Amino acid sequence: MMHMTFYWGKKVTLLFDFWKTDSWTSYTLTLLACLIFAVFYQYMEEGRQRFKLISSLSAKKGFAGANSVPPPSQPSRINAPLLYSLPTVGGRRYAARFAGAVLFGVNSAIGYMLMLAIMSFNAGVLIAIVVGLSVGYLHFRSGGEEDVVVVDNPCACA
């Protein structure tokens, strides 16, 4: 029977029927696997965000390289990522968006698997995943301010 409250113990069924722990060795290896997957999740998230930033910067460079002002057929718009999309340059923009979507899908799948692992309600699994996410964030995503993108827009709602 599945636990509905957090519990401490070495007997855990994690994600699949065949992933059952019954000894301290298998439980420790399971916690280590949860920790590693949580760190990997943060690594993938950092890579996905960096890829998105690089692809958007390269698209802007390609757009600005052709001519410094937007084409006359397009009205002047606010330069905000969610409100303005750059034109496709030779299909590269589509390829970058597709690769970003694939990375997003993989990262979402890992995140949902971690969430389902926590829903085993084993306190050790919860702690291992939270520690893994924290270590991964510290190692991969708590860089300097060079990763921050600022959009200059006087409108508070954008």
Side-chain angles (χ1 to χ4, degrees), residues 112-123:
Y112 281 122
M113 295 295 266
L114 290 172
M115 181 217 33
L116 288 172
I118 288 175
M119 289 177 61
S120 69
F121 288 104
N122 184 280

Side-chain angles (χ1 to χ4, degrees), residues 7-12 21 24 27 122-124:
Y7 69 98
W8 292 95
K10 65 181 178 181
K11 294 191 178 198
V12 179
T21 63
W24 287 108
Y27 182 65
N122 184 280

Side-chain angles (χ1 to χ4, degrees), residues 46-157:
E46 189 274 336
R48 185 184 69 81
Q49 289 179 354
R50 186 167 302 277
F51 179 76
K52 184 177 180 181
L53 179 66
I54 289 170
S55 66
S56 70
L57 288 177
S58 66
K60 286 179 184 178
K61 285 180 184 176
F63 178 63
N67 50 6
S68 60
V69 294
S73 63
Q74 291 184 347
S76 176
R77 297 182 186 178
I78 297 172
N79 190 12
L82 297 176
L83 302 175
Y84 182 71
S85 67
L86 296 170
T88 304
V89 180
R92 289 184 297 180
R93 180 82 172 138
Y94 178 76
R97 289 181 62 161
F98 181 76
V102 169
L103 283 174
F104 177 79
V106 168
N107 202 40
S108 294
I110 293 170
Y112 281 122
M113 295 295 266
L114 290 172
M115 181 217 33
L116 288 172
I118 288 175
M119 289 177 61
S120 69
F121 288 104
N122 184 280
V125 172
L126 170 71
I127 291 170
I129 290 174
V130 169
V131 167
L133 289 172
S134 300
V135 168
Y137 182 84
L138 176 68
H139 192 282
F140 297 113
R141 297 184 59 199
S142 67
E145 294 181 17
E146 68 272 2
D147 293 339
V148 178
V149 177
V150 178
V151 176
D152 293 328
N153 187 355
C155 179
C157 62

